[in-house]
Amino acid sequence: MAIATESREPRASRLGIAGWMLFDWAAQPFFTVITTFIFGPYLVSRLTADPVAGQAAWSYTLTVAGIAIALLAPVMGSVADASGARKPWIAAFAVVKILSLSALWLAVPGSSLAFAMAMIVLATVAAEFSIVFNDSMMPRLVRPENTGRISNIAWGLGYLGGMIVLIAVVALLAANPETGKTAIGIAPLFGLDPAAGEDARITGPISALWYFVFILPMFFFTPDQSRSLPIAAAVRTGFADLSTALRDLRKKPGILRFLIARMIYQDGVNGLLALGGTFAAGMFAWQTFELGIYGIILNVVAIGGCLYASRLDRRLGSKAVVVMSLLCLTVATIGIVSTGPGFTLFGLIPLPTADSGGLFGTAAEKAYILYGLLVGLAFGPVQASARSYLAQSIHPDEAGRYFGLYALSGRATSFLAPLSVGILTTATGSARLGMMALIAFLVAGFLLLLRTPYPAAKVEA
């Protein structure tokens, strides 16, 4: 099916589009240093009694956030269409996110686990709702044939921003437990004490400050729609519009199939991103220093993956990029969960257990990083090109409600992946067996996406 090419000129200047793209740059450090590589593993290894209990607690934290997002994101999208203006909502959720992240500094070892979990839930919900409003701006900023390129470049910028923050943490703040020095051989700035978890806790305030500074260009330069309805009326209209959109999905089976496919595979992607670092922390006893280096490696690969995918998307289409990315992620996940001290691929390939004493000194750690490179290559394009896939399948006037449903598809069952991992981990006492649940989500979503048309629906001019 040919790609719909509704002829409309972009309504934003290059500066306006750049401001919109910087939103990903501003938002990504939260997911990089908080959810994936630094604070999440710190919560698992330092705020709980043992890594297995920690992984279960982290999984349940993501479950609660996922349920809240699934219930409210579609409403937020419909409210966006009814109210018109997106920026006031982004600003309101920014306040919640910034305050919640700043509060993570208080999560000292031995403090309340429930408090840290609550702050993560609030920050995650605020972050995802902001993304709904930001993504729904895209169809009015660029022509459909350019959405894949812009979306992937923006996602690549996000990974670059996350990597810069991660490098700063590893180089300047996080000390190697054995040497007391950072990656560049200096004592941690500000006298941060790794024994008190300060090198991990500081990532909360840093992410908050980064987000505040770099969302400002979007507010200053990116055009917003004019306000249509007052907030109260917009909420009432938003509920009604959501009901209409859900009924209309029966007339748009392609979009419905796309959303269901994404709902399933995104569960696996979210689980892999959120739990991959904690899994490594529990298996190899990686601390903030090792996790930071691992994250830097993955983000370097992710930036290259997004830039290359921006070309592939223009040449092959968004669906092809998503399909290839899912294949790559499935292979990587199988490799990750099949690797342990002394083996990989479930023991088919034995590995020497000797530790060279350097960074990632065992063969199993090196194998884990190799599989992680495949994750880095694919986890940006699978999300950026999916965003473009939907943008090419809807009319700009419906962008809010459908990107709300898009967020729903990414979160409606997002609690199932971490919940499945948590339940299997608890039941078996094995983090590896728990992580194997992610493979089923990736494969099932991939198979359904293969049968989904591209674009998912014809866009009327």
Side-chain angles (χ1 to χ4, degrees), residues 73-97:
V75 177
M76 292 293 103
S78 293
V79 168
D81 285 336
S83 65
R86 270 64 167 169
K87 291 181 183 179
W89 294 95
I90 296 175
F93 289 121
V95 172
V96 176
K97 180 177 177 180

PDB file of all heavy atoms in Angstrom, residues 73-97:
ATOM      1  N   ALA A  73      -3.742   8.069  29.712  1.00  0.00           N
ATOM      2  CA  ALA A  73      -3.108   8.637  28.521  1.00  0.00           C
ATOM      3  C   ALA A  73      -4.093   8.901  27.383  1.00  0.00           C
ATOM      4  O   ALA A  73      -4.031   9.960  26.742  1.00  0.00           O
ATOM      5  CB  ALA A  73      -1.974   7.739  28.048  1.00  0.00           C
ATOM      6  N   PRO A  74      -5.022   7.974  27.061  1.00  0.00           N
ATOM      7  CA  PRO A  74      -5.972   8.275  25.975  1.00  0.00           C
ATOM      8  C   PRO A  74      -6.832   9.488  26.278  1.00  0.00           C
ATOM      9  O   PRO A  74      -7.163  10.270  25.375  1.00  0.00           O
ATOM     10  CB  PRO A  74      -6.823   6.999  25.892  1.00  0.00           C
ATOM     11  CG  PRO A  74      -5.985   5.941  26.496  1.00  0.00           C
ATOM     12  CD  PRO A  74      -5.206   6.613  27.584  1.00  0.00           C
ATOM     13  N   VAL A  75      -7.207   9.656  27.532  1.00  0.00           N
ATOM     14  CA  VAL A  75      -7.988  10.838  27.911  1.00  0.00           C
ATOM     15  C   VAL A  75      -7.162  12.092  27.698  1.00  0.00           C
ATOM     16  O   VAL A  75      -7.650  13.101  27.168  1.00  0.00           O
ATOM     17  CB  VAL A  75      -8.437  10.733  29.386  1.00  0.00           C
ATOM     18  CG1 VAL A  75      -9.186  11.994  29.807  1.00  0.00           C
ATOM     19  CG2 VAL A  75      -9.308   9.502  29.587  1.00  0.00           C
ATOM     20  N   MET A  76      -5.873  12.045  28.092  1.00  0.00           N
ATOM     21  CA  MET A  76      -4.996  13.195  27.893  1.00  0.00           C
ATOM     22  C   MET A  76      -4.894  13.564  26.412  1.00  0.00           C
ATOM     23  O   MET A  76      -4.907  14.744  26.055  1.00  0.00           O
ATOM     24  CB  MET A  76      -3.596  12.892  28.445  1.00  0.00           C
ATOM     25  CG  MET A  76      -3.499  12.761  29.952  1.00  0.00           C
ATOM     26  SD  MET A  76      -3.822  14.325  30.822  1.00  0.00           S
ATOM     27  CE  MET A  76      -5.503  14.034  31.386  1.00  0.00           C
ATOM     28  N   GLY A  77      -4.799  12.567  25.544  1.00  0.00           N
ATOM     29  CA  GLY A  77      -4.718  12.845  24.118  1.00  0.00           C
ATOM     30  C   GLY A  77      -5.971  13.496  23.583  1.00  0.00           C
ATOM     31  O   GLY A  77      -5.914  14.450  22.793  1.00  0.00           O
ATOM     32  N   SER A  78      -7.131  13.013  23.999  1.00  0.00           N
ATOM     33  CA  SER A  78      -8.387  13.614  23.550  1.00  0.00           C
ATOM     34  C   SER A  78      -8.556  15.010  24.113  1.00  0.00           C
ATOM     35  O   SER A  78      -9.076  15.907  23.438  1.00  0.00           O
ATOM     36  CB  SER A  78      -9.566  12.720  23.973  1.00  0.00           C
ATOM     37  OG  SER A  78      -9.533  11.485  23.287  1.00  0.00           O
ATOM     38  N   VAL A  79      -8.112  15.213  25.339  1.00  0.00           N
ATOM     39  CA  VAL A  79      -8.148  16.556  25.924  1.00  0.00           C
ATOM     40  C   VAL A  79      -7.254  17.495  25.118  1.00  0.00           C
ATOM     41  O   VAL A  79      -7.588  18.670  24.906  1.00  0.00           O
ATOM     42  CB  VAL A  79      -7.717  16.510  27.402  1.00  0.00           C
ATOM     43  CG1 VAL A  79      -7.467  17.914  27.944  1.00  0.00           C
ATOM     44  CG2 VAL A  79      -8.782  15.805  28.239  1.00  0.00           C
ATOM     45  N   ALA A  80      -6.111  16.978  24.637  1.00  0.00           N
ATOM     46  CA  ALA A  80      -5.204  17.800  23.830  1.00  0.00           C
ATOM     47  C   ALA A  80      -5.910  18.298  22.572  1.00  0.00           C
ATOM     48  O   ALA A  80      -5.785  19.473  22.194  1.00  0.00           O
ATOM     49  CB  ALA A  80      -3.964  16.998  23.456  1.00  0.00           C
ATOM     50  N   ASP A  81      -6.651  17.424  21.889  1.00  0.00           N
ATOM     51  CA  ASP A  81      -7.384  17.844  20.692  1.00  0.00           C
ATOM     52  C   ASP A  81      -8.442  18.881  21.025  1.00  0.00           C
ATOM     53  O   ASP A  81      -8.656  19.837  20.282  1.00  0.00           O
ATOM     54  CB  ASP A  81      -8.042  16.631  20.024  1.00  0.00           C
ATOM     55  CG  ASP A  81      -7.041  15.762  19.287  1.00  0.00           C
ATOM     56  OD1 ASP A  81      -5.976  16.279  18.908  1.00  0.00           O
ATOM     57  OD2 ASP A  81      -7.331  14.567  19.100  1.00  0.00           O
ATOM     58  N   ALA A  82      -9.125  18.684  22.167  1.00  0.00           N
ATOM     59  CA  ALA A  82     -10.213  19.587  22.529  1.00  0.00           C
ATOM     60  C   ALA A  82      -9.695  20.944  22.992  1.00  0.00           C
ATOM     61  O   ALA A  82     -10.279  21.982  22.683  1.00  0.00           O
ATOM     62  CB  ALA A  82     -11.075  18.947  23.620  1.00  0.00           C
ATOM     63  N   SER A  83      -8.597  20.945  23.735  1.00  0.00           N
ATOM     64  CA  SER A  83      -8.074  22.211  24.262  1.00  0.00           C
ATOM     65  C   SER A  83      -7.242  22.954  23.233  1.00  0.00           C
ATOM     66  O   SER A  83      -7.073  24.166  23.314  1.00  0.00           O
ATOM     67  CB  SER A  83      -7.234  21.956  25.517  1.00  0.00           C
ATOM     68  OG  SER A  83      -6.088  21.199  25.205  1.00  0.00           O
ATOM     69  N   GLY A  84      -6.702  22.197  22.246  1.00  0.00           N
ATOM     70  CA  GLY A  84      -5.885  22.827  21.217  1.00  0.00           C
ATOM     71  C   GLY A  84      -4.450  22.980  21.657  1.00  0.00           C
ATOM     72  O   GLY A  84      -3.549  22.308  21.152  1.00  0.00           O
ATOM     73  N   ALA A  85      -4.190  23.860  22.576  1.00  0.00           N
ATOM     74  CA  ALA A  85      -2.833  24.150  23.028  1.00  0.00           C
ATOM     75  C   ALA A  85      -2.239  22.968  23.784  1.00  0.00           C
ATOM     76  O   ALA A  85      -2.886  22.378  24.654  1.00  0.00           O
ATOM     77  CB  ALA A  85      -2.828  25.394  23.904  1.00  0.00           C
ATOM     78  N   ARG A  86      -1.002  22.623  23.447  1.00  0.00           N
ATOM     79  CA  ARG A  86      -0.310  21.533  24.119  1.00  0.00           C
ATOM     80  C   ARG A  86       0.646  22.025  25.200  1.00  0.00           C
ATOM     81  O   ARG A  86       0.875  21.359  26.196  1.00  0.00           O
ATOM     82  CB  ARG A  86       0.514  20.730  23.099  1.00  0.00           C
ATOM     83  CG  ARG A  86      -0.169  19.573  22.432  1.00  0.00           C
ATOM     84  CD  ARG A  86      -1.326  19.928  21.570  1.00  0.00           C
ATOM     85  NE  ARG A  86      -1.717  18.778  20.732  1.00  0.00           N
ATOM     86  CZ  ARG A  86      -2.827  18.740  20.035  1.00  0.00           C
ATOM     87  NH1 ARG A  86      -3.679  19.761  20.054  1.00  0.00           N
ATOM     88  NH2 ARG A  86      -3.123  17.670  19.311  1.00  0.00           N
ATOM     89  N   LYS A  87       1.231  23.170  25.004  1.00  0.00           N
ATOM     90  CA  LYS A  87       2.302  23.627  25.894  1.00  0.00           C
ATOM     91  C   LYS A  87       1.878  23.781  27.355  1.00  0.00           C
ATOM     92  O   LYS A  87       2.658  23.431  28.258  1.00  0.00           O
ATOM     93  CB  LYS A  87       2.881  24.934  25.368  1.00  0.00           C
ATOM     94  CG  LYS A  87       3.664  24.785  24.071  1.00  0.00           C
ATOM     95  CD  LYS A  87       4.230  26.129  23.628  1.00  0.00           C
ATOM     96  CE  LYS A  87       4.956  26.018  22.300  1.00  0.00           C
ATOM     97  NZ  LYS A  87       5.493  27.328  21.856  1.00  0.00           N
ATOM     98  N   PRO A  88       0.683  24.317  27.658  1.00  0.00           N
ATOM     99  CA  PRO A  88       0.318  24.417  29.086  1.00  0.00           C
ATOM    100  C   PRO A  88       0.302  23.069  29.795  1.00  0.00           C
ATOM    101  O   PRO A  88       0.689  22.967  30.966  1.00  0.00           O
ATOM    102  CB  PRO A  88      -1.077  25.047  29.040  1.00  0.00           C
ATOM    103  CG  PRO A  88      -1.119  25.796  27.749  1.00  0.00           C
ATOM    104  CD  PRO A  88      -0.323  24.960  26.796  1.00  0.00           C
ATOM    105  N   TRP A  89      -0.123  22.027  29.110  1.00  0.00           N
ATOM    106  CA  TRP A  89      -0.153  20.700  29.709  1.00  0.00           C
ATOM    107  C   TRP A  89       1.265  20.170  29.909  1.00  0.00           C
ATOM    108  O   TRP A  89       1.569  19.573  30.954  1.00  0.00           O
ATOM    109  CB  TRP A  89      -0.947  19.743  28.821  1.00  0.00           C
ATOM    110  CG  TRP A  89      -2.396  20.086  28.726  1.00  0.00           C
ATOM    111  CD1 TRP A  89      -3.006  20.826  27.759  1.00  0.00           C
ATOM    112  CD2 TRP A  89      -3.426  19.734  29.653  1.00  0.00           C
ATOM    113  NE1 TRP A  89      -4.350  20.948  28.014  1.00  0.00           N
ATOM    114  CE2 TRP A  89      -4.629  20.285  29.163  1.00  0.00           C
ATOM    115  CE3 TRP A  89      -3.444  18.990  30.837  1.00  0.00           C
ATOM    116  CZ2 TRP A  89      -5.844  20.119  29.839  1.00  0.00           C
ATOM    117  CZ3 TRP A  89      -4.649  18.829  31.507  1.00  0.00           C
ATOM    118  CH2 TRP A  89      -5.833  19.384  31.006  1.00  0.00           C
ATOM    119  N   ILE A  90       2.125  20.384  28.911  1.00  0.00           N
ATOM    120  CA  ILE A  90       3.513  19.952  29.054  1.00  0.00           C
ATOM    121  C   ILE A  90       4.158  20.660  30.243  1.00  0.00           C
ATOM    122  O   ILE A  90       4.916  20.042  31.012  1.00  0.00           O
ATOM    123  CB  ILE A  90       4.294  20.216  27.752  1.00  0.00           C
ATOM    124  CG1 ILE A  90       3.726  19.366  26.606  1.00  0.00           C
ATOM    125  CG2 ILE A  90       5.782  19.929  27.943  1.00  0.00           C
ATOM    126  CD1 ILE A  90       4.354  19.649  25.248  1.00  0.00           C
ATOM    127  N   ALA A  91       3.867  21.933  30.409  1.00  0.00           N
ATOM    128  CA  ALA A  91       4.428  22.690  31.522  1.00  0.00           C
ATOM    129  C   ALA A  91       3.946  22.146  32.869  1.00  0.00           C
ATOM    130  O   ALA A  91       4.729  22.011  33.823  1.00  0.00           O
ATOM    131  CB  ALA A  91       4.054  24.168  31.390  1.00  0.00           C
ATOM    132  N   ALA A  92       2.653  21.827  32.957  1.00  0.00           N
ATOM    133  CA  ALA A  92       2.117  21.307  34.220  1.00  0.00           C
ATOM    134  C   ALA A  92       2.764  19.978  34.593  1.00  0.00           C
ATOM    135  O   ALA A  92       3.155  19.753  35.751  1.00  0.00           O
ATOM    136  CB  ALA A  92       0.602  21.145  34.110  1.00  0.00           C
ATOM    137  N   PHE A  93       2.892  19.095  33.624  1.00  0.00           N
ATOM    138  CA  PHE A  93       3.510  17.800  33.921  1.00  0.00           C
ATOM    139  C   PHE A  93       5.006  17.944  34.173  1.00  0.00           C
ATOM    140  O   PHE A  93       5.599  17.133  34.900  1.00  0.00           O
ATOM    141  CB  PHE A  93       3.238  16.816  32.784  1.00  0.00           C
ATOM    142  CG  PHE A  93       1.808  16.362  32.728  1.00  0.00           C
ATOM    143  CD1 PHE A  93       1.037  16.567  31.589  1.00  0.00           C
ATOM    144  CD2 PHE A  93       1.214  15.745  33.813  1.00  0.00           C
ATOM    145  CE1 PHE A  93      -0.286  16.160  31.535  1.00  0.00           C
ATOM    146  CE2 PHE A  93      -0.106  15.329  33.776  1.00  0.00           C
ATOM    147  CZ  PHE A  93      -0.864  15.534  32.636  1.00  0.00           C
ATOM    148  N   ALA A  94       5.630  18.969  33.585  1.00  0.00           N
ATOM    149  CA  ALA A  94       7.050  19.215  33.851  1.00  0.00           C
ATOM    150  C   ALA A  94       7.275  19.533  35.322  1.00  0.00           C
ATOM    151  O   ALA A  94       8.272  19.103  35.913  1.00  0.00           O
ATOM    152  CB  ALA A  94       7.566  20.349  32.974  1.00  0.00           C
ATOM    153  N   VAL A  95       6.358  20.281  35.932  1.00  0.00           N
ATOM    154  CA  VAL A  95       6.485  20.613  37.354  1.00  0.00           C
ATOM    155  C   VAL A  95       6.480  19.339  38.197  1.00  0.00           C
ATOM    156  O   VAL A  95       7.316  19.157  39.096  1.00  0.00           O
ATOM    157  CB  VAL A  95       5.357  21.564  37.790  1.00  0.00           C
ATOM    158  CG1 VAL A  95       5.369  21.748  39.307  1.00  0.00           C
ATOM    159  CG2 VAL A  95       5.491  22.912  37.089  1.00  0.00           C
ATOM    160  N   VAL A  96       5.545  18.444  37.894  1.00  0.00           N
ATOM    161  CA  VAL A  96       5.467  17.182  38.641  1.00  0.00           C
ATOM    162  C   VAL A  96       6.739  16.367  38.460  1.00  0.00           C
ATOM    163  O   VAL A  96       7.311  15.834  39.423  1.00  0.00           O
ATOM    164  CB  VAL A  96       4.238  16.370  38.189  1.00  0.00           C
ATOM    165  CG1 VAL A  96       4.205  15.011  38.888  1.00  0.00           C
ATOM    166  CG2 VAL A  96       2.954  17.134  38.461  1.00  0.00           C
ATOM    167  N   LYS A  97       7.197  16.264  37.227  1.00  0.00           N
ATOM    168  CA  LYS A  97       8.389  15.459  36.938  1.00  0.00           C
ATOM    169  C   LYS A  97       9.618  16.031  37.621  1.00  0.00           C
ATOM    170  O   LYS A  97      10.409  15.282  38.225  1.00  0.00           O
ATOM    171  CB  LYS A  97       8.603  15.393  35.418  1.00  0.00           C
ATOM    172  CG  LYS A  97       9.804  14.575  34.995  1.00  0.00           C
ATOM    173  CD  LYS A  97       9.911  14.504  33.470  1.00  0.00           C
ATOM    174  CE  LYS A  97      11.146  13.747  33.019  1.00  0.00           C
ATOM    175  NZ  LYS A  97      11.250  13.675  31.533  1.00  0.00           N
TER     176      LYS A  97
END
